[in-house]
Amino acid sequence: MKVTLTHIKADIGSLPGHTTVHEDVLNEVKRFLKEQSKGIIWDHFVGYVGDDIQITMVHDNGVNASEVHKLAWDAFKSGTEVAKKLGLYGAGQDLLKDSFSGNIKGMGPGIAEMDITPRRSEPFIVYMMDKTEPGAFNYPIFKMFADPFNTPGLVIDQSMHDGFKFEVWDIQEAKAIMLNAPEEMYDIISLIGTKGRYVIKRVYTKKEHGKLPDENVAVITTDKLSFIAGEYVGKDDPAAIVRIQSGLPASGEAMEAFSHPYLVSGWMRGSFNGPLMPVAMKNSKMTRFDGPPRVVALGFVYKDKKLTGPVDMFDDPAYDNARKLANDITDYIRRMGPFEPHRLPEEDMEYTTLPKVMEKLKGRFVHVDAVEKGVSKNSTGRDSD
Ligand code: 13P
Ligand code: 13P
Ligand code: MG
Ligand code: MG
Ligand code: MG
């Protein structure tokens, strides 16, 4: 039987700034889905991270199913009405188009979905990040599926020993490439280290995989709001679905990839580098400098049209040290204020007001030789000509 996991997320309004979702909006999205989802999806869960509402769904309509996408879109529309009434900030922020047109791609919400062949037990983790971008998943997804120091299963589990295939997207040129790990590991790293451009979209097992050949086992949202809107309208806070166990990374191997709060871009105004802090869903209020960027992990199993769970995976003292380190990095890096490398480099600022500042100052730039001439004139007190 074909089964599809679909995860769709959007920021439809927050309290007071880009801090957190409002309970009434969350409840409206839940109410809408409870009443309208029958006959379209089998089961679902509504969660959140920071100011983003997240819908995890399971159904048999396949990926890109118009009715499933429309259900999520309409649920977000309905939630937006409540957000507007309450006067929440950025009500409907990520709903960039006026009306639904067949597919939610390119309309603002982030989407990650895959068709799966369900196993006897089908465990998976949904990771949801706020105040960062899709490329923030490059590092942890690589660690889970390609780094034996993170995932010893790559060495000691016979069915993982051949490695995995990585589908990497160039999101600037809208191109994709399939690369094999471990054979092409250095090529993979040389691309995905440029995380603002090359992003891991999907991971597949190889055809040699003993338990689950040629199967999609991870998928990440890659939607870029600025490409749709043409200007900065919030960072493209991403989410991912990662299947685990039986020939895939164990739950703890998938979780271990987040034990180090590596730097991601996003944070305040989508314009700063900062540490990714793993937190419980209830602790995902984005307070300090609208962050620091956070990741929430929800663990599910799927069976017979039902989702069981989730377990709030980072709601655990085992991640206290990662959070402490993230706070220490925050103290350190915040003192740089608007300077790089805390602030993002110029090319990442093109959707902010920085190009407008440059436009304003354009006429006042002169060649350095002219300045040097002036300096020598000033220092000698007389014209050197
Ligand atoms: P248990 O012995 O607790 O089932 O754990 C098995 C395992 O492989 C953990 O990674
Ligand atoms: P969001 O992308 O989470 O809405 O945040 C936008 C922002 O500008 C935060 O400072
Ligand atoms: Mg927001
Ligand atoms: Mg957000
Ligand atoms: Mg956003």
Side-chain angles (χ1 to χ4, degrees):
M1 183 174 56
K2 187 165 75 175
V3 172
T4 309
L5 300 177
T6 299
H7 185 86
I8 303 184
K9 46 111 352 209
D11 178 345
I12 54 171
S14 45
L15 177 75
H18 293 280
T19 318
T20 186
V21 297
H22 190 285
E23 209 184 336
D24 293 358
V25 179
L26 209 53
N27 286 338
E28 175 56 19
V29 171
K30 287 179 186 171
R31 184 202 63 77
F32 187 94
L33 288 169
K34 201 169 166 202
E35 285 175 15
Q36 305 289 327
S37 65
K38 286 187 195 70
I40 305 173
I41 57 173
W42 292 328
D43 202 359
H44 69 278
F45 180 79
V46 180
Y48 62 93
V49 58
D51 60 2
D52 295 309
I53 294 183
Q54 313 262 341
I55 309 172
T56 307
M57 296 174 277
V58 59
H59 56 94
D60 66 348
N61 298 288
V63 300
N64 289 321
S66 175
E67 61 272 41
V68 176
H69 289 200
K70 186 170 188 308
L71 177 69
W73 176 265
D74 289 343
F76 287 136
K77 275 278 182 203
S78 189
T80 297
E81 290 312 309
V82 174
K84 279 183 181 159
K85 272 197 204 110
L86 292 168
L88 295 188
Y89 187 73
Q93 174 181 283
D94 288 356
L95 307 183
L96 301 178
K97 301 285 156 88
D98 292 333
S99 56
F100 185 79
S101 56
N103 190 308
I104 210 161
K105 276 185 207 159
M107 298 188 70
I111 172 152
E113 58 183 346
M114 58 181 152
D115 290 333
I116 65 169
T117 311
R119 298 163 289 169
R120 213 164 0 149
S121 171
E122 184 55 59
F124 65 93
I125 299 176
V126 171
Y127 294 98
M128 320 181 296
M129 296 181 183
D130 192 29
K131 303 300 182 273
T132 187
E133 61 177 358
F137 271 107
N138 284 0
Y139 173 99
I141 295 287
F142 177 83
K143 286 192 81 79
M144 287 175 210
F145 288 96
D147 178 4
F149 285 81
N150 180 87
T151 302
L154 292 163
V155 180
I156 64 180
D157 179 341
Q158 190 52 40
S159 44
M160 293 174 76
H161 202 73
D162 288 310
F164 292 90
K165 293 185 289 184
F166 286 75
E167 182 186 314
V168 177
W169 284 17
D170 173 346
I171 55 173
Q172 282 177 16
E173 299 271 329
K175 287 181 181 161
I177 183 170
M178 194 72 93
L179 293 162
N180 292 301
E183 306 91 297
E184 298 175 295
M185 188 183 249
Y186 299 157
D187 296 329
I188 295 171
I189 294 172
S190 61
L191 292 182
I192 66 171
T194 308
K195 58 188 176 34
R197 176 164 186 174
Y198 301 101
V199 299
I200 300 171
K201 177 65 187 174
R202 295 184 184 86
V203 180
Y204 291 87
T205 56
K206 294 180 178 169
K207 64 176 185 313
E208 298 82 13
H209 194 279
K211 291 180 171 159
L212 202 61
D214 255 328
E215 178 94 3
N216 193 181
V217 290
V219 60
I220 299 102
T221 63
T222 47
D223 311 78
K224 291 289 279 184
L225 294 177
S226 54
F227 293 170
I228 303 165
E231 61 178 352
Y232 178 72
V233 286
K235 210 66 184 175
D236 321 287
D237 313 313
I241 307 171
V242 176
R243 298 168 70 189
I244 56 171
Q245 302 291 151
S246 341
L248 304 179
S251 172
E253 289 167 339
M255 294 296 291
E256 183 64 11
F258 295 92
S259 58
H260 175 65
Y262 53 94
L263 295 174
V264 296
S265 52
W267 209 347
M268 173 57 71
R269 298 169 190 278
S271 304
F272 290 83
N273 284 307
L276 185 70
M277 184 190 263
V279 294
M281 191 157 72
K282 66 177 185 292
N283 291 333
S284 69
K285 287 191 287 287
M286 312 305 284
T287 54
R288 186 164 181 196
F289 202 55
D290 287 359
R294 278 166 227 219
V295 55
V296 167
L298 301 179
F300 295 89
V301 293
Y302 164 79
K303 184 78 176 180
D304 295 339
K305 306 187 178 182
K306 278 258 157 288
L307 291 174
T308 296
V311 175
D312 192 345
M313 306 285 284
F314 291 128
D315 188 7
D316 180 355
Y319 283 85
D320 283 351
N321 283 3
R323 293 188 272 265
K324 164 86 168 62
L325 182 53
N327 278 322
D328 289 344
I329 296 166
T330 297
D331 283 340
Y332 168 81
I333 206 166
R334 274 302 304 126
R335 292 180 72 175
M336 295 197 68
F339 281 73
E340 296 176 23
H342 181 24
R343 202 213 70 189
L344 299 185
E346 195 176 355
E347 60 270 24
D348 291 327
M349 305 293 289
E350 66 183 300
Y351 291 103
T352 70
T353 53
L354 220 59
K356 287 169 195 138
V357 173
M358 288 307 290
E359 186 61 29
K360 187 182 75 184
L361 299 179
K362 204 170 65 186
R364 287 168 56 190
F365 278 96
V366 294
H367 197 280
V368 287
D369 288 348
V371 178
E372 286 300 290
K373 219 160 131 185
V375 169
S376 68
K377 182 175 161 185
N378 285 343
S379 61
T380 58
R382 57 191 159 83
D383 200 328
S384 55
D385 279 344

